[in-house]
C-alpha cells in the first residue's frame, strides 16, 4: 500500500485529504508543522509527500530541501502561493509538482497517480550511458560518478532524463516531454522543463553553464548528445 505523508497547518484540509486518500486505499500520515513532517518522514518513510508551503515553523521550501538531503521521495506542493517565483523556488528545491489552492480533490488525486506512475516506469535493457563524468544505468535507474558515488535524482528528474537519453541525438519536443512526464494537461508548462533541465545539468554536466550533453534547442525542445 502506498504511504502518503500530508503536511498542512489547516486541520480541515488534513482531515479531508486523510478521508479521501484512505477511501482510495492509500496509507496516510499527517503533520501540521515542518518539524513534525521531517520527523514523520524519517520515522516512517513515505512513498509520496503532499506539502503546504505556508507552515507555522519552517517554510515549506526549507522542508523540501531538508527531505532532499537524504531522500528522493516524490513531493507534490499544495499551496495558496500562486506566484511564479514561489513555484520556481519549490521546483528548484526539488518538488515534483505544484498544485495551487483552492484545489479540487480529483485534480490532486490525478497528480498523485501521475507521480506514482513515473515510479513504476519499466526500463528495457539498455547499455549504460555517459554524461560527463557520470554513468547513467537505465536498467537499475541509477547515476554514478566515476568515483562510484551515487547521484540522487528525484523521480521527476529521472523521468525527464530517461526520456532524453532513450533518444540519443534526437530532438525531443517540449510538448512531448511535458505530455510524457507530467501529462497532456501540462503542455504549456515550459517553465517546468527549464527548471528540471537546469537541475540535471547542475548534477551531471561538467560545466552546467555550457552543457555538452543535455542540449536546449530554443523554442523547440531538448536533445541528449552522447
Amino acid at each position: 500500500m502506498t504511504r502518503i505523508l500530508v503536511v498542512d497547518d489547516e486541520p480541515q484540509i488534513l482531515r479531508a485529504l486523510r478521508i479521501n486518500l484512505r477511501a482510495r486505499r492509500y496509507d496516510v500520515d499527517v503533520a501540521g508543522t515542518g518539524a513534525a513532517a521531517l520527523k514523520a518522514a524519517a520515522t516512517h518513510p513515505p512513498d509520496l509527500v503532499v506539502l503546504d508551503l505556508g507552515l507555522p515553523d519552517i517554510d515549506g521550501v526549507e522542508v523540501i530541501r531538508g527531505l532532499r538531503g537524504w531522500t528522493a521521495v516524490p513531493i507534490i506542493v499544495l499551496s495558496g502561493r500562486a506566484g511564479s517565483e514561489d513555484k520556481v523556488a519549490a521546483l528548484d528545491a526539488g518538488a515534483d509538482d505544484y498544485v495551487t489552492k483552492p484545489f479540487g480533490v480529483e485534480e490532486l488525486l490525478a497528480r498523485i497517480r501521475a507521480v506514482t506512475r513515473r515510479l513504476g516506469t519499466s526500463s528495457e535493457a539498455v547499455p549504460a550511458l555517459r554524461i560527463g563524468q557520470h554513468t547513467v544505468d537505465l536498467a537499475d535507474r541509477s547515476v554514478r560518478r566515476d568515483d562510484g558515488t551515487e547521484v540522487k535524482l528525484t523521480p521527476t528528474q529521472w523521468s525527464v532524463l530517461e526520456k532524453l537519453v532513450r533518444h540519443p541525438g534526437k530532438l525531443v519536443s517540449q510538448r512531448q516531454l511535458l505530455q510524457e512526464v507530467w501529462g497532456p494537461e501540462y503542455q504549456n508548462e515550459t517553465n517546468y522543463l527549464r527548471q528540471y533541465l537546469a537541475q540535471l545539468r547542475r548534477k551531471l554536466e561538467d560545466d552546467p553553464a555550457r552543457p555538452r550533453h543535455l542540449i536546449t534547442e530554443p523554442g523547440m525542445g531538448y536533445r541528449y548528445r552522447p
Side-chain angles (χ1 to χ4, degrees):
M1 183 180 293
T2 300
R3 178 187 294 273
I4 298 179
L5 172 61
V6 180
V7 186
D8 201 297
D9 64 340
E10 298 183 48
Q12 63 270 29
I13 288 182
L14 289 181
R15 181 175 181 274
L17 289 181
R18 182 167 49 203
I19 291 172
N20 278 280
L21 290 170
R22 286 180 174 170
R24 289 160 175 84
R25 308 183 71 83
Y26 291 105
D27 192 5
V28 183
D29 293 325
V30 298
T33 66
L38 292 171
K39 182 177 180 180
T43 305
H44 301 289
D47 299 302
L48 184 144
V49 177
V50 176
L51 173 69
D52 182 25
L53 295 184
L55 300 173
D57 56 341
I58 307 172
D59 187 78
V61 172
E62 294 304 317
V63 176
I64 295 170
R65 293 194 180 106
L67 291 169
R68 285 291 171 257
W70 62 275
T71 179
V73 63
I75 300 172
I76 298 177
V77 170
L78 183 63
S79 177
R81 302 178 188 174
S84 60
E85 290 185 2
D86 295 303
K87 292 182 180 180
V88 168
L91 293 169
D92 209 28
D96 295 277
D97 202 351
Y98 198 107
V99 179
T100 303
K101 295 178 180 177
F103 66 97
V105 172
E106 291 303 323
E107 178 191 1
L108 178 61
L109 290 167
R111 304 286 186 99
I112 289 172
R113 290 193 297 271
V115 169
T116 52
R117 277 198 302 270
R118 290 173 216 156
L119 291 176
T121 301
S122 62
S123 296
E124 305 91 6
V126 175
L129 304 159
R130 295 286 296 173
I131 298 180
Q133 301 179 45
H134 303 83
T135 299
V136 180
D137 191 324
L138 294 176
D140 65 7
R141 301 173 64 86
S142 68
V143 180
R144 294 189 180 276
R145 298 187 182 94
D146 287 346
D147 63 5
T149 305
E150 183 176 3
V151 178
K152 293 183 178 180
L153 300 183
T154 70
T156 303
Q157 288 171 351
W158 175 264
S159 189
V160 172
L161 178 64
E162 183 180 29
K163 300 302 180 189
L164 292 175
V165 300
R166 284 192 179 278
H167 303 282
K170 296 182 179 179
L171 174 69
V172 182
S173 71
Q174 294 176 345
R175 179 182 293 271
Q176 180 181 347
L177 272 173
L178 287 167
Q179 181 166 327
E180 291 186 1
V181 176
W182 284 275
E185 65 273 25
Y186 288 83
Q187 291 183 11
N188 295 319
E189 300 287 350
T190 55
N191 61 307
Y192 277 33
L193 293 177
R194 289 193 294 272
Q195 290 300 313
Y196 279 99
L197 265 295
Q199 294 168 15
L200 287 169
R201 286 167 181 150
R202 285 196 294 270
K203 290 185 175 184
L204 302 178
E205 291 276 7
D206 293 339
D207 184 355
R210 297 177 179 82
R212 298 178 56 196
H213 302 283
L214 302 176
I215 308 301
T216 299
E217 300 290 353
M220 295 186 293
Y222 300 88
R223 189 189 311 271
Y224 163 61
R225 182 184 295 160

